[in-house]
Amino acid sequence: MRRRVCILGATGSIGTSTLGVIARHPERFEVFALTAQQRVDLLFEQCLAWRPRFAVLPTDAAAAGLRGRLRDAGVATEVLSGAGALCELAAHPEVDTVMAAIVGAAGLAPCLAAARAGKRLLLANKEALVLGGAFFVEAVRAGGAQLLPIDSEHSAIFQCLPEDPRVWRERIDHIVLTASGGPFRTRDPETLADVTPDQACAHPNWVMGRKISVDSATMMNKALEVIEARWLFDLAPEQIKVVIHPQSIVHSMVVCRDCSVLAQLGTPDMSVPIAYGLAFPERVESGAAALDFMNLAPLTFEAADERIFPGLALAWQALRGPDGSSAVLNAANEVAVAAFLAGTIRFDEIHTVNMRTIEAVLPASGATASLEGILGLDAQARRRAAAFVDALAR
């Protein structure tokens, strides 16, 4: 039987790449539901092509508009609206696999719904673990869900490990997450104040959305990935290292207790981890180009320059802080990046907002023991971060 797939965030780069992989294997996968936030025209085109059972948009008005267009086109897709519909479809009894590609904290609730319903959960939304931490991991365990990482770095680590997680602890000394360094790796730190949003979004290796592209330029994406890795692989903070690898060919490495190093290599194409997650434990054609070792540029590695990437250290600060500190960091970063993209603050002030917020908002005991508590902490951190943005903008 074909696996029925619900794609949360179908119109983003991960969502469209997922549909690209599914198109190569129609005998294996069926598109059951598609969701989007803003790109209604693209969602309409996807519904025409895939005829999913359901589609979801954020508002009643947007859903009504899409519903009318699909009806006129003779497409019977049922269009729903609101955050509740995302959770409903993520946990739908006919869904086998959920691709969680909604950016930011908005993806936490549907990820929890999928986890509690025991789905195969392909996690491209790192914020679910950054916010949810132990609470989210427990939901996965209690629901009997299968959690598979889609971030290229975490998929690389996962691919280097035995399929049985019970032996991970006895084999791993530490892991190394690689980072491209983004577009400003060689820039003079004194010039970063003048960076424009378009410059920050011009990633040298990967094609991504604007928010995650800015995160790559600041290396906050790597900070969040450190936090995600702590929960995915049950590691202590000191067992997670980061190294700059500008070519983005070695996607990450596992250093074993005997000093052997296992690495996963490939072209910088998200189709590879997506295909691995969809078909796990099998491997199927992804559509990515094969590595040409005879023409491959030299592979280099270097330490991250703290003057260019001051936010990277906030990952370990958050992991060693009170429970919920990583949720505070994520909320601050979402507010700061949005302000930068809107032209409200400078590129180098993203770190200022993040640092001030994580120092100002100290999570209360038990704040991350429920979804409501996590979202309340997230809202508190966003208010404080917004206040710091306002102060910088004056």
Side-chain angles (χ1 to χ4, degrees):
M1 293 182 61
R2 296 190 298 172
R3 297 189 70 91
R4 295 190 180 97
V5 184
C6 169
I7 304 178
L8 304 173
T11 59
S13 60
I14 295 295
T16 55
S17 294
T18 301
L19 289 172
V21 174
I22 290 175
R24 294 177 174 274
H25 305 282
E27 76 288 354
R28 285 177 171 267
F29 308 108
E30 172 187 343
V31 178
F32 184 82
L34 300 171
T35 84
Q37 178 68 20
Q38 295 176 326
R39 303 174 72 183
V40 180
D41 289 342
L42 179 53
L43 183 61
F44 172 69
E45 295 296 331
Q46 291 176 338
C47 289
L48 288 183
W50 293 96
R51 308 293 171 113
R53 185 91 63 86
F54 295 97
V56 180
L57 284 167
T59 67
D60 292 341
L66 179 62
R67 194 177 298 121
R69 294 174 67 182
L70 291 174
R71 182 177 59 249
D72 293 343
V75 177
T77 296
E78 183 177 349
V79 184
L80 307 176
S81 64
L86 298 177
C87 295
E88 178 184 342
L89 292 180
H92 196 287
E94 294 185 51
V95 167
D96 305 299
T97 302
V98 175
M99 170 58 77
I102 295 175
V103 176
L108 175 58
C111 283
L112 277 170
R116 289 165 172 162
K119 306 301 183 185
R120 170 175 287 188
L121 180 55
L122 309 184
L123 194 65
N125 173 303
K126 62 176 64 68
E127 291 85 359
L129 276 168
V130 172
L131 269 73
F135 178 73
F136 183 77
V137 170
E138 174 56 25
V140 170
R141 187 204 63 77
Q146 185 178 38
L147 183 63
L148 301 177
I150 299 300
D151 270 349
S152 61
E153 296 82 2
H154 302 92
S155 177
I157 297 297
F158 186 73
Q159 291 180 56
C160 291
L161 292 172
E163 289 184 16
D164 185 356
R166 291 173 296 183
V167 302
W168 289 357
R169 274 183 173 274
E170 65 191 46
R171 299 194 184 183
I172 298 175
D173 182 79
H174 65 276
I175 65 172
V176 180
L177 302 178
T178 57
S180 70
F184 308 133
R185 176 178 61 88
T186 60
R187 284 268 300 250
D188 182 340
E190 299 297 323
T191 69
L192 295 180
D194 298 327
V195 165
T196 68
D198 285 344
Q199 290 173 328
C201 291
H203 196 283
N205 300 335
W206 298 92
V207 177
M208 305 179 291
R210 287 175 72 79
K211 193 270 181 183
I212 194 170
S213 294
V214 174
D215 283 348
S216 180
T218 63
M219 287 268 279
M220 273 305 302
N221 71 321
K222 207 56 51 179
L224 299 179
E225 287 170 12
V226 167
I227 297 168
E228 183 183 7
R230 180 265 176 271
W231 295 109
L232 276 171
F233 306 115
D234 192 23
L235 298 171
E238 56 270 18
Q239 288 181 284
I240 308 168
K241 318 292 183 183
V242 172
V243 66
I244 300 289
H245 171 52
Q247 296 80 24
S248 296
I249 297 298
V250 178
H251 295 302
S252 276
M253 297 170 274
V254 175
V255 181
C256 302
R257 291 186 182 274
D258 63 0
C259 293
S260 296
V261 181
L262 308 178
Q264 188 262 337
L265 283 69
T267 52
D269 189 328
M270 287 304 298
S271 297
V272 175
I274 289 169
Y276 186 70
L278 285 169
F280 181 81
E282 300 177 58
R283 289 185 182 266
V284 298
E285 182 187 359
S286 67
L291 279 180
D292 181 355
F293 286 98
M294 296 303 100
N295 292 302
L296 199 61
L299 304 183
T300 61
F301 303 88
E302 58 196 56
D305 188 333
E306 294 183 2
R307 298 173 304 153
I308 300 175
F309 309 115
L312 183 59
L314 294 179
W316 288 274
Q317 181 178 333
L319 285 174
R320 294 186 175 107
D323 288 345
S325 296
S326 58
V328 172
L329 176 60
N330 178 74
N333 187 60
E334 288 191 22
V335 171
V337 171
F340 166 68
L341 289 172
T344 306
I345 63 173
R346 300 193 313 262
F347 177 81
D348 60 333
E349 290 175 332
I350 294 173
H351 173 63
T352 301
V353 173
N354 292 342
M355 180 180 61
R356 289 180 179 176
T357 305
I358 198 171
E359 290 174 352
V361 180
L362 297 178
S365 177
T368 59
S370 68
L371 176 59
E372 294 74 18
I374 293 169
L375 296 180
L377 179 60
D378 175 79
Q380 179 188 357
R382 286 173 189 274
R383 289 192 297 270
R384 185 59 67 93
F388 288 133
V389 165
D390 289 341
L392 290 169
R394 291 195 185 106

